[in-house]
């Protein structure tokens, strides 16, 4: 079943696509990242803020940024359409389920230790396209880990697509500008 779909998110006409660099497969099935890439419906890029400190000097209120470093992870929500075999929901469900029990997938850090922290998506790419479907930039959300999977609501007599939301925690954002790379060349290279 892996890799049957070859188009990347072709039902969005807002000139963006979302791609997952890799997935952690804790199921017993051969599933690849296409079950996530091809079914992204909506992505919410989170707000980003810094806490402020308040002080008084000579009866004047002063605000100071509170440097907290990178201690707090940021969250992003991605809404997926449920695929025909429910593989994308099951993939994320198993990933979160086995993390709760401390089960790692075997990926190791530089010291050779197998850590849950290493069971991550290296980068979730939010790719911006121009009107000719050429990639103009990529915003990469690095070291992303799913931490919440919303309910799956199935209804009789409904013609709407079934969707669900997954929340990911990520550590860094990187913006990469492209040299007008052709989207079709990217798809062709990834299929080889």
């Amino acid at each position: 079943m892996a890799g049957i779909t070859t188009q990347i998110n072709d039902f969005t006409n807002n000139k963006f696509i979302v791609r997952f660099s890799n997935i952690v497969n804790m199921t017993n099935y051969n599933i690849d990242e296409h079950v996530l890439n091809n079914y992204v419906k909506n992505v919410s890029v989170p707000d980003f803020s810094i806490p402020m400190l308040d002080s008084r000097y000579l009866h004047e209120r002063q605000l100071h940024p509170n440097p907290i470093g990178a201690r707090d992870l940021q969250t992003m929500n991605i809404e997926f359409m449920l695929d025909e075999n429910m593989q994308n929901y099951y993939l994320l469900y198993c990933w979160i389920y086995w993390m709760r029990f401390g089960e790692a997938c075997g990926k190791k850090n530089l010291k050779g230790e197998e850590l849950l922290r290493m069971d991550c998506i290296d980068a979730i790419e939010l790719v911006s396209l121009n009107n000719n479907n050429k990639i103009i930039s990529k915003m990469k959300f690095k070291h992303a880990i799913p931490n919440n999977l919303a309910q799956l609501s199935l209804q009789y007599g409904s013609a709407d697509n079934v969707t669900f939301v997954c929340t990911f925690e990520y550590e860094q954002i990187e913006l990469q500008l492209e040299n007008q790379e052709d989207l079709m060349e990217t798809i062709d290279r990834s299929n080889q």
Side-chain angles (χ1 to χ4, degrees):
M1 271 300 171
I4 282 182
T5 53
T6 57
Q7 299 294 320
I8 296 179
N9 204 10
D10 58 0
F11 49 81
T12 58
N13 50 11
N14 292 325
K15 300 301 176 193
F16 75 93
I17 56 175
V18 177
R19 300 188 293 202
F20 293 79
S21 64
N22 62 299
I23 57 171
V24 174
N25 187 352
M26 302 294 270
T27 69
N28 291 326
Y29 300 104
N30 186 15
I31 300 175
D32 62 17
E33 62 272 1
H34 292 298
V35 298
L36 298 182
N37 288 343
N38 295 346
Y39 292 94
V40 172
K41 183 172 182 185
N42 182 2
V43 63
S44 297
V45 178
D47 59 342
F48 193 68
S49 63
I50 185 171
M52 301 296 284
L53 299 173
D54 190 356
S55 67
R56 301 274 178 197
Y57 180 73
L58 298 175
H59 304 292
E60 294 287 329
R61 178 178 182 237
Q62 296 180 342
L63 293 175
H64 311 277
N66 182 6
I68 59 173
R71 288 182 292 200
D72 296 332
L73 297 179
Q74 302 300 313
T75 61
M76 68 185 303
N77 294 324
I78 300 179
E79 182 179 8
F80 295 95
M81 287 178 44
L82 185 66
D83 74 291
E84 296 82 14
N85 298 321
M86 298 187 182
Q87 288 181 339
N88 53 5
Y89 184 85
Y90 188 67
L91 171 79
L92 294 167
Y93 172 83
C94 288
W95 190 349
I96 294 172
Y97 179 83
W98 288 112
M99 277 193 299
R100 291 173 71 184
F101 290 100
E103 184 73 30
C105 74
K107 198 173 176 184
K108 297 183 179 180
N109 66 4
L110 295 175
K111 293 181 181 179
E113 302 166 325
E114 189 175 318
L115 303 173
L116 279 179
R117 184 186 187 304
M118 301 307 294
D119 294 346
C120 68
I121 298 168
D122 295 330
I124 299 174
E125 293 182 344
L126 178 59
V127 180
S128 297
L129 306 171
N130 66 10
N131 287 334
N132 296 326
N133 285 338
K134 293 182 188 255
I135 296 174
I136 54 178
S137 70
K138 295 178 188 174
M139 185 173 287
K140 294 183 178 184
F141 299 88
K142 294 185 154 190
H143 198 95
I145 300 171
N147 74 330
N148 186 36
L149 189 59
Q151 68 182 10
L152 186 60
S153 180
L154 304 171
Q155 298 176 357
Y156 284 107
S158 176
D160 295 334
N161 291 324
V162 176
T163 63
F164 63 93
V165 176
C166 187
T167 302
F168 294 87
E169 299 271 350
Y170 65 91
E171 290 184 355
Q172 297 175 359
I173 296 179
E174 176 185 302
L175 181 65
Q176 178 181 354
L177 300 176
E178 294 292 316
N179 294 327
Q180 304 298 310
E181 181 181 359
D182 186 17
L183 177 62
M184 294 312 294
E185 289 176 8
T186 303
I187 292 172
D188 289 341
R189 273 187 267 127
S190 67
N191 290 331
Q192 294 175 355

